[in-house]
Amino acid sequence: MTLFRPTGLATASVKARHSAFAGAFAALAFSATVTTACVAMAVSASRVPVSPKQAELYDVGIAFSNLTVYMAIFVIGQVMSLAVAQRGREIALLRAIGAEPKQIRRMVATEALWASALALPVGYGLGALLAHVWFDGMAAQGMVPDGMTMDVGLIPLFTTAGVLVVCSQLGGKIAAWRASRTRPSAALARSAVPGSDRAGRIRAVTSLLVLGAAAVLSVVAGASSAKDAASEIPIVLLAYLIAIGLAGPWIGRVATAVVAPLLRRCGGVAGELAVLGARARSRRLAAAIAPIAMMTAFAVAQFVMLAGAEEMDWMAVFGTLLYAGFTGVVAANALVMLILERVREFALLRMVGAEKRQVTAVVVAESGITALAGLGAGALAGLAVLVPLGQKVGTPVSGVPVWGWGAMLVSGAGIVLAAYCAPLARLLCVRPIDGVTRYSA
């Protein structure tokens, strides 16, 4: 039937959910930006005669490229899952009128392909700019070998295109699998309260298994030589972050339980609403908790490495800013998506007498819960890796100054608060009656 052609379903879904499509596009564009810059650095370094500087730049470019691909798969999967979850009611209705699971999966795959195709030129252009800024900074530090020029040509373009297609399709398949297999009646019942669906047992068991595997990797790395341990730290850290991504809903619930007494006592009705809202949306908050945790864990690792170094490494500083900025922007993107879907909820609050400042108080309180979950999980992951391994590689955790911890936590909390509040002004401009009637579906 024409109605159930995947391209037709994808077109209708994009028109109905601009924010969800824009969120996936933004995550893919940021991934393309970083991938293009890293691959361009490696390719440019490979075209000059072998020397210590050339080998260092080539190794850095390859290492950063590999890490970017891992991070891209991780964060894009989270954002795609959130985008699909926000369309739970539409998918349930399509299933109720005859759409098959494979058609739903093809619809999501088509959307992901469109998003990656549109994100490629944007990310490639920004990546070329980032690559030149990176190159100029290293040249100013005397780190560029003689005769090397920055060449952002076809190899970075094709590599980035391949990364986007693979990441978007993999993320789309993971995101659509649960939605396509759920019975229509159950999906409709869950979507009556947006965000009320809970994570399943398979996810819980998998998160525990991955956490156990990360712990085993820590032990193995601790038993190896200092050189091998240093190279294994990113792998161990990534394993912990995957476990955090899978356990995101439960991490959100734990953070909510921790601050619930304080919010109820000091925040009154706004605090109570924030607790209830965070608890109900624990599964969707996982899409934001995971990137925040990744940003924090990576920052912790880099702070420890920099504190243990004899002199400041410009390359390490740039890498810290690059990946912290990448994951921070993706986390902010996911949080904006979460807020934009709540037009009707905020309109209902205002219709029953809540003032704009009270709605703002609810959002600020929820941002505190999310920040605690993401920053806390990320800091614990970083410490779980660096407490046993940092001393072995000569960079103990105790070497990080207090101001470093403070700056990291304050900046992370600031990103979360800004992402929560950025779309709020737009939502509060919608008249309550319009918000209830226009977004009732």
Side-chain angles (χ1 to χ4, degrees):
M1 296 176 62
T2 304
L3 175 63
F4 295 138
R5 287 178 181 172
T7 53
L9 288 175
T11 302
S13 181
V14 169
K15 289 180 178 179
R17 292 281 188 177
H18 297 289
S19 61
F21 181 81
F25 166 81
L28 288 164
F30 293 132
S31 300
T33 299
V34 181
T35 302
T36 298
C38 294
V39 173
M41 180 60 67
V43 171
S44 299
S46 68
R47 292 176 176 173
V48 297
V50 177
S51 66
K53 290 182 179 179
Q54 183 271 347
E56 181 182 5
L57 287 184
Y58 179 77
D59 291 342
V60 166
I62 293 296
F64 279 14
S65 298
N66 292 335
L67 184 58
T68 301
V69 172
Y70 297 145
M71 294 174 70
I73 294 174
F74 189 71
V75 299
I76 289 173
Q78 294 285 344
V79 173
M80 291 294 296
S81 295
L82 176 58
V84 172
Q86 288 183 330
R87 301 198 302 273
R89 186 171 181 82
E90 291 94 323
I91 292 174
L93 287 171
L94 288 171
R95 294 275 285 113
I97 61 175
E100 299 178 0
K102 65 179 181 181
Q103 292 172 314
I104 300 299
R105 291 193 290 269
R106 288 176 184 172
M107 176 193 74
V108 176
T110 302
E111 288 181 36
L113 187 61
W114 287 358
S116 61
L118 293 174
L120 177 60
V122 176
Y124 180 75
L126 293 176
L129 178 61
L130 178 61
H132 284 289
V133 171
W134 188 4
F135 179 82
D136 292 341
M138 288 189 298
Q141 298 292 320
M143 301 173 65
V144 175
D146 295 336
M148 178 178 172
T149 59
M150 177 54 63
D151 181 18
V152 187
L154 294 179
I155 294 179
L157 175 62
F158 292 147
T159 303
T160 301
V163 169
L164 288 188
V165 171
V166 171
C167 290
S168 64
Q169 294 303 299
L170 182 60
K173 286 184 179 298
I174 294 173
W177 183 82
R178 184 171 185 265
S180 65
R181 291 175 61 88
T182 304
R183 290 184 297 111
S185 57
L188 285 170
R190 281 204 307 263
S191 63
V193 180
S196 61
D197 50 334
R198 295 187 177 184
R201 294 180 181 178
I202 295 178
R203 181 170 182 169
V205 173
T206 305
S207 66
L208 292 176
L209 291 175
V210 175
L211 181 61
V216 171
L217 288 175
S218 295
V219 174
V220 172
S224 60
S225 64
K227 182 179 179 181
D228 292 337
S231 64
E232 290 167 357
I233 283 178
I235 300 175
V236 180
L237 186 61
L238 182 64
Y240 276 110
L241 290 173
I242 293 174
I244 289 174
L246 292 169
W250 295 277
I251 293 173
R253 283 181 168 269
V254 170
T256 304
V258 169
V259 300
L262 177 63
L263 288 178
R264 285 170 175 153
R265 183 168 59 251
C266 301
V269 175
E272 179 67 24
L273 289 174
V275 170
L276 294 175
R279 186 178 296 158
R281 291 177 175 79
S282 59
R283 188 171 187 271
R284 294 195 186 183
L285 279 178
I289 290 173
I292 295 170
M294 179 179 286
M295 174 185 69
T296 307
F298 190 80
V300 168
Q302 289 301 313
F303 266 122
V304 172
M305 296 298 180
L306 292 173
E310 296 181 358
E311 59 182 13
M312 188 64 69
D313 186 346
W314 191 88
M315 190 74 71
V317 174
F318 181 82
T320 302
L321 296 175
L322 179 67
Y323 289 113
F326 170 49
T327 52
V329 170
V330 173
N333 173 55
L335 290 171
V336 170
M337 291 171 64
L338 285 170
I339 292 296
L340 287 176
E341 74 170 349
R342 300 172 65 182
V343 179
R344 188 168 185 267
E345 175 189 340
F346 293 153
L348 284 171
L349 286 176
R350 293 173 61 195
M351 286 191 71
V352 298
E355 299 178 0
K356 290 183 179 181
R357 62 179 179 82
Q358 293 173 313
V359 176
T360 303
V362 173
V363 172
V364 170
E366 287 187 17
S367 72
I369 296 173
T370 306
L372 175 63
L375 295 174
L380 289 176
L383 293 175
V385 175
L386 294 168
V387 166
L389 300 180
Q391 187 71 44
K392 189 179 186 68
V393 299
T395 54
V397 176
S398 58
V400 181
V402 176
W403 67 262
W405 291 103
M408 178 179 59
L409 296 177
V410 169
S411 60
I415 290 174
V416 175
L417 179 61
Y420 260 96
C421 294
L424 188 59
R426 173 189 169 189
L427 299 188
L428 293 179
C429 289
V430 177
R431 291 192 308 160
I433 187 63
D434 291 338
V436 172
T437 57
R438 190 181 304 169
Y439 300 94
S440 59

